[in-house]
Amino acid sequence: MFRSLTEPTGRLVTVSLDGRSVELPEGDNLAVALLRAGHGPFRTTPAKAAPRQPYCMMGVCFECLAEIDGVPNRQTCQERVVPGQSIRRQDGARSTGSAAAPAPAARGTP
């Protein structure tokens, strides 16, 4: 069970969670805001479809992965709530192809 130690201070903004409009405090940690509002699990595992929710809240465990604004495998505990954000829960494995992040430039190239 999640229990927040502080109350949110940001104004409520609308984001999309799995295609539904949800109001969350602007600037709040995304994982915290979703947990506080009772939304979970965040993803399911690829092998057994076991439900997962944030665990470490500091970017180490990867249990909080979600698709954010069309980019899969984003750590919700490392993101802030912004107006108009699109969040989708991840069911199973996701591709780490070109949509995930641009490839780093090779050494010595601009």
Side-chain angles (χ1 to χ4, degrees):
M1 169 131 192
F2 180 79
R3 182 175 59 96
S4 183
L5 298 178
T6 60
E7 291 300 316
T9 57
R11 70 181 175 100
L12 292 179
V13 296
T14 302
V15 301
S16 173
L17 176 61
D18 293 329
R20 294 176 296 138
S21 291
V22 175
E23 288 190 337
L24 299 174
E26 183 175 23
D28 212 357
N29 177 286
L30 182 56
V32 169
L34 290 170
L35 287 170
R36 185 185 293 124
H39 299 288
F42 285 38
R43 70 179 189 96
T44 59
T45 60
K48 296 185 179 181
R52 293 290 190 250
Q53 295 205 113
Y55 179 71
C56 73
M57 300 299 285
M58 60 184 185
V60 176
C61 73
F62 294 90
E63 296 293 355
C64 66
L65 295 180
E67 180 181 300
I68 301 174
D69 294 329
V71 181
N73 302 314
R74 300 284 299 275
Q75 292 173 283
T76 59
C77 72
Q78 300 297 303
E79 299 290 330
R80 297 282 174 191
V81 174
V82 296
Q85 203 167 33
S86 175
I87 304 130
R88 295 189 86 55
R89 296 169 213 237
Q90 289 193 179
D91 291 321
R94 288 291 186 260
S95 168
T96 57
S98 61
R107 287 193 164 191
T109 60

